[in-house]
């Protein structure tokens, strides 16, 4: 069965650690949740300590440590790129290469120094390739005995995309696309041009796209220009970028501003400035190009493998709009996406490569999947909650009966209250899935506005997701399968939609945003879509019970779910994090386990009330 393997991703963004025992995932966590630094790239000391503690292990108990990419290959790519583009890129070269020569080239020594002398010198350090780590994170935990594998991101060592075949314990790489040509970097460049931060703002661009005028001339024209001048998208989904438009290969920015201005006629949007219709249309144009590329790649994967199931990982696999359309396209019978699809999930993939390929262990396919609902992080008991309450002299009510707690919280949600819901083990990956969530009433016309502006302090156009009882999902959404990880967007059911008012297309962004499109307006996006989390009674019985209590009270079998944090803050990890976030916002109620805290009963907040002093805008 194999022993204990520690998987690590670090030094780019979203560092993480994962522990396997006998091939099963014991624990997984991102470093950002402990350090409170979003997308923390540092070596995941805290996450390593946590996963080992959760497994009851010490470093000396490990069979192997697996790192999620090959540093020498990445260094080779940097050198060849700088050489190929010379003399361009001197500033970037002088910035990047000294760090590599001092530190990253000596990754084995760096890893052993970080882990400390407790790691036996005989314990091997393994370095699977970046896209193999992504492929392993997608295939091995999936519910399929065999599957086509599609990985898409910015760049690993050389690869930016791969198509593989997974069967049993084996993964076979069939096709790769290489740097600098990258669908992920194309999308990131448009993210930057529209005024959002690369590696964290791509989901904002995806959320902005539905505000683009799909039937307008500008979207059609800009999509044509992207395909004619910026990217050569081939029938098989491979692509070539016109590097005259991009600066990431040798520079410190993503795009060549003058070339973009000439082609699109608008300047780069200033971050935090008002968003005009042009940038909404640009977001939609590149989203459509991205979807076209994903569909072509999926068809190629089907043709190459002959298999009826697809698994996906890599940052582009977090584009849940494309995922939802891919599911509905019927190219594959079923699609499973790794919930920690980005670099954090690379730690899991590296560990799984070590278990199945290096150790040669056979794979056990589990019903559902092997991710345990992604509830793989730390949990905190009554003692930790009580210590937090004592520290802040915080009044609370403790419930002995969980069903009564759910009934009372459902009643508060139905009254329009916003509730911080903190239960059990923290989620692994970018989505809060009901254990570190802020919840509200999806029927409330003001809920989206309230959550965006008074709780999350983020851009008003950004949509919220529904958490719906799995058995009730088909009553609300056009999706014929579970979506437990909030990675599929699907249309809201026709019979709960409202017609659009006259003059809708001439409204500005914010007036369009607050049109009541359905009987669940807080989770219905401008294109009548929703990013769905289906909640299974067995996977998360506490969250399911809360939603069921709300259903019994109101007849509505879903709640609004957004991550428990403010803008720029990682999702909360501890009761202390949760109480601090609760007091810094206009959240009404906090539930920590079986303890309920009401805002109006809490003492004045004496620590910094301005979260922006702690967290930079993302």
């Amino acid at each position: 069965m194999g022993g204990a393997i520690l998987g690590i991703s670090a030094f780019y963004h979203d560092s993480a650690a994962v522990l396997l025992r006998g091939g099963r995932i014991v624990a997984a966590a991102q470093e950002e949740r402990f350090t409170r630094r979003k997308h923390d790239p540092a070596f995941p000391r805290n996450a390593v300590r946590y996963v080992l503690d959760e497994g009851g292990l010490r470093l000396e108990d490990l069979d192997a440590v697996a790192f999620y990419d090959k540093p020498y290959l990445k260094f080779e790519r940097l050198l060849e790129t700088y050489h190929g583009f010379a003399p361009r890129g001197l500033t970037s070269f002088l910035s990047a290469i000294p760090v590599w020569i001092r530190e990253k080239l000596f990754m084995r020594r760096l890893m052993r120094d970080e882990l400390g002398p407790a790691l036996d010198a005989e314990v091997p350090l393994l370095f699977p390739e970046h896209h193999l780590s992504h492929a392993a994170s997608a295939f091995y935990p999936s519910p399929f005995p065999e599957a086509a594998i599609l990985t898409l991101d910015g760049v690993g060592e050389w690869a930016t995309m791969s198509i593989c075949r997974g069967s049993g314990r084996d993964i076979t790489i069939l096709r790769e696309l290489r740097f600098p040509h990258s669908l992920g970097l194309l999308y990131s460049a448009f993210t930057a041009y529209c005024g959002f931060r690369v590696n964290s703002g791509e989901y904002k661009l995806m959320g902005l796209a539905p505000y683009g005028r799909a039937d307008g001339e500008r979207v059609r024209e800009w999509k044509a220009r992207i395909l004619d001048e910026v990217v050569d998208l081939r029938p098989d989904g491979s692509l070539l970028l016109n590097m005259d438009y991009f600066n990431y290969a040798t520079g410190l920015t993503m795009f060549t501003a003058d070339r973009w201005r000439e082609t699109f006629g608008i300047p780069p949007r200033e971050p935090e400035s008002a968003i005009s219709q042009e940038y909404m249309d640009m977001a939609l144009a590149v989203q459509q190009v991205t979807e076209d590329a994903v569909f072509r790649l999926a068809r190629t994967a089907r043709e190459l493998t002959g298999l009826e199931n697809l698994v996906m990982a890599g940052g582009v696999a977090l584009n849940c709009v494309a995922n939802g359309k891919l599911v509905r396209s019927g190219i594959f019978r079923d699609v499973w996406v790794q919930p920690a699809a980005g670099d954090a999930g690379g730690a899991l993939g590296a560990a799984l490569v070590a278990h199945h390929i290096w150790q040669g262990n056979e794979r056990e396919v589990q019903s559902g999947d092997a991710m345990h609902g992604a509830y793989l992080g730390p949990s905190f008991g009554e003692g930790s909650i009580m210590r937090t309450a004592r520290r802040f002299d915080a009044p609370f009510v403790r419930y002995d009966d969980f069903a009564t707690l759910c009934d009372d919280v459902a009643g508060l949600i139905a009254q329009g209250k916003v509730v911080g819901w903190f239960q059990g083990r923290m989620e692994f990956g970018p989505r809060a899935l009901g254990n570190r969530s802020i919840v509200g009433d999806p029927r409330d016309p003001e809920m989206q506005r309230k959550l965006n502006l008074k709780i999350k302090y983020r851009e008003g156009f950004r949509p919220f997701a529904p958490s719906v009882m799995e058995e009730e999902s088909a009553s609300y959404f056009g999706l014929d399968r579970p979506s437990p990880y909030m990675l599929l967007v699907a249309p809201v059911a026709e019979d709960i939609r409202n017609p659009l008012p006259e003059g809708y297309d001439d409204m500005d962004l914010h007036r369009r945003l607050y049109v009541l499109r359905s009987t669940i307006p807080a989770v219905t996006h401008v294109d009548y879509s929703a990013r769905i989390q289906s909640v299974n009674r067995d996977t998360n019985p506490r969250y399911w019970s809360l939603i069921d209590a709300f259903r019994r009270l109101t007849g509505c079998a879903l709640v609004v779910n957004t991550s428990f944090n403010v803008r720029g803050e990682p999702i909360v990890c501890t009761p202390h994090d949760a109480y601090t976030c609760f007091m810094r916002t206009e959240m009404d109620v906090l539930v920590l386990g079986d303890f309920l805290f009401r805002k109006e009963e809490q003492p004045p907040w004496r620590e910094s009330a301005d979260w922006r002093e702690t967290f930079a805008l993302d």
Side-chain angles (χ1 to χ4, degrees), residues 310-597:
L310 174 71
V311 298
M312 298 174 65
V316 178
L318 293 171
N319 192 308
C320 49
V321 176
N323 295 345
K325 292 179 179 179
L326 180 59
V327 165
R328 294 191 296 279
S329 74
I331 297 171
F332 285 91
R333 182 178 66 84
D334 205 356
V335 178
W336 189 85
V337 182
Q338 164 56 237
D343 277 6
L348 171 61
L352 289 166
V353 168
H355 178 75
H356 291 292
I357 297 177
W358 179 67
Q359 290 185 332
N361 292 296
E362 295 299 330
R363 176 171 174 249
E364 295 180 21
V365 180
Q366 299 184 28
S367 61
D369 61 50
M371 289 299 295
H372 308 292
Y375 306 114
L376 297 165
S379 62
F380 299 87
E382 181 175 315
S384 181
I385 296 169
M386 287 296 296
R387 285 191 292 274
T388 297
R390 284 195 294 269
R391 171 171 179 175
F392 296 109
D393 197 22
F396 59 82
V397 175
R398 185 188 186 283
Y399 285 75
D400 295 322
D401 179 58
F402 185 69
T404 303
L405 172 62
C406 287
D407 288 342
D408 287 354
V409 174
L412 292 167
I413 294 171
Q415 295 170 24
K417 305 295 186 185
V418 176
V419 178
W421 183 254
F422 181 107
Q423 303 288 333
R425 296 186 70 176
M426 181 179 66
E427 299 90 339
F428 180 54
R431 307 290 182 225
L433 300 170
N435 280 8
R436 301 291 187 276
S437 291
I438 299 171
V439 298
D441 188 344
R443 306 166 305 156
D444 186 343
E446 292 298 316
M447 185 54 61
Q448 182 177 7
R449 187 196 310 262
K450 182 176 183 180
L451 285 171
N452 265 329
L453 301 181
K454 296 187 176 183
I455 310 297
K456 302 285 284 188
Y457 303 107
R458 67 185 202 179
E459 300 92 345
F461 70 85
R462 289 168 59 182
F464 290 102
S467 290
V468 59
M469 298 168 67
E470 186 177 288
E471 56 269 48
E472 299 289 338
S473 178
S475 300
Y476 297 91
F477 307 107
L479 187 65
D480 62 354
R481 67 201 69 200
S483 176
Y485 299 119
M486 209 184 284
L487 286 168
L488 299 177
V489 165
V492 171
E494 294 279 354
D495 61 351
I496 63 171
R497 296 185 184 186
N498 297 327
L500 295 176
E502 287 188 21
Y504 172 81
D505 289 336
D506 296 325
M507 294 179 181
D508 63 22
L509 182 151
H510 291 288
R511 289 182 64 203
R512 275 184 279 164
L513 173 63
Y514 297 117
V515 167
L516 302 184
R517 289 173 183 75
S518 75
T519 59
I520 46 172
V523 296
T524 303
H525 204 18
V526 291
D527 57 352
Y528 288 107
S529 71
R531 177 164 51 97
I532 300 160
Q533 180 202 1
S534 58
V535 181
N536 181 278
R537 184 175 192 170
D538 295 326
T539 304
N540 195 332
R542 285 196 155 224
Y543 195 37
W544 184 94
S545 295
L546 172 65
I547 303 171
D548 185 49
F550 187 70
R551 178 194 62 81
R552 287 185 279 105
L553 178 66
T554 66
C556 181
L558 65 149
V559 295
V560 181
N561 174 14
T562 187
S563 56
F564 199 150
N565 59 341
V566 293
R567 185 179 174 193
E569 178 188 17
I571 296 172
V572 300
C573 176
T574 67
H576 178 279
D577 298 336
Y579 187 83
T580 300
C581 185
F582 169 59
M583 293 302 294
R584 282 173 165 168
T585 68
E586 296 182 50
M587 216 178 304
D588 302 299
V589 178
L590 172 65
V591 180
L592 300 174
D594 296 327
F595 296 74
L596 187 147
F597 301 75

Side-chain angles (χ1 to χ4, degrees), residues 18-242:
V18 175
L19 180 68
L20 299 185
R21 292 193 76 173
R24 295 183 179 272
I25 308 168
V26 173
Q30 291 134 276
E31 185 70 1
E32 65 166 23
R33 308 292 168 84
F34 303 96
T35 63
R36 314 309 299 152
R37 179 188 174 194
K38 197 163 188 180
H39 304 299
D40 195 340
F43 185 85
R45 298 184 187 91
N46 298 283
V48 167
R49 187 180 306 116
Y50 156 67
V51 299
L52 291 173
D53 287 346
E54 188 71 36
L57 296 179
R58 303 164 298 173
L59 282 166
E60 48 264 45
D61 299 321
L62 296 173
D63 285 7
V65 177
F67 188 73
Y68 79 135
D69 67 11
K70 288 185 177 297
Y72 284 167
L73 275 182
K74 188 172 285 188
F75 187 62
E76 174 190 86
R77 186 248 300 169
L78 288 173
L79 289 180
E80 290 199 20
T81 299
Y82 286 126
H83 178 265
F85 283 90
R88 290 166 53 192
L90 179 61
T91 301
S92 177
F93 176 88
L94 294 174
S95 172
I97 296 303
V99 178
W100 275 88
I101 292 174
R102 284 195 312 269
E103 299 175 4
K104 294 183 181 181
L105 273 182
F106 307 100
M107 188 64 72
R108 290 183 182 276
R109 187 182 71 190
L110 179 60
M111 292 274 287
R112 291 194 180 275
D113 287 347
E114 290 284 0
L115 291 169
L119 182 69
D120 194 299
E122 299 303 314
V123 173
L125 302 183
L126 308 174
F127 296 88
E129 290 188 12
H130 185 96
H131 273 258
L132 178 59
S133 294
H134 275 320
S137 78
F139 175 59
Y140 292 127
S142 78
F144 309 133
E146 55 182 3
I149 308 169
L150 180 59
T151 68
L152 295 160
D153 66 3
V155 60
E157 297 89 3
W158 277 105
T160 64
M161 175 278 289
S162 74
I163 296 174
C164 307
R165 178 191 178 100
S167 180
R169 72 183 184 194
D170 299 320
I171 292 176
T172 305
I173 298 174
L174 304 175
R175 294 273 181 89
E176 281 189 345
L177 182 68
R178 296 195 128 203
F179 184 86
H181 307 293
S182 166
L183 182 62
L185 291 174
L186 172 71
Y187 203 85
S188 290
F190 276 89
T191 296
Y193 206 80
C194 289
F196 305 123
R197 185 176 294 181
V198 172
N199 291 327
S200 68
E202 284 79 2
Y203 58 93
K204 299 183 186 182
L205 192 72
M206 182 181 68
L208 186 64
Y211 292 94
R213 296 201 167 105
D215 57 352
E217 181 61 33
R218 183 161 50 212
V219 171
R220 288 193 295 270
E221 180 182 338
W222 281 0
K223 181 181 178 182
R225 289 186 186 180
I226 293 171
L227 292 172
D228 289 343
E229 302 181 40
V230 181
V231 56
D232 179 6
L233 179 60
R234 306 295 175 81
D236 65 355
S238 63
L239 54 87
L240 293 174
L241 299 183
N242 180 348

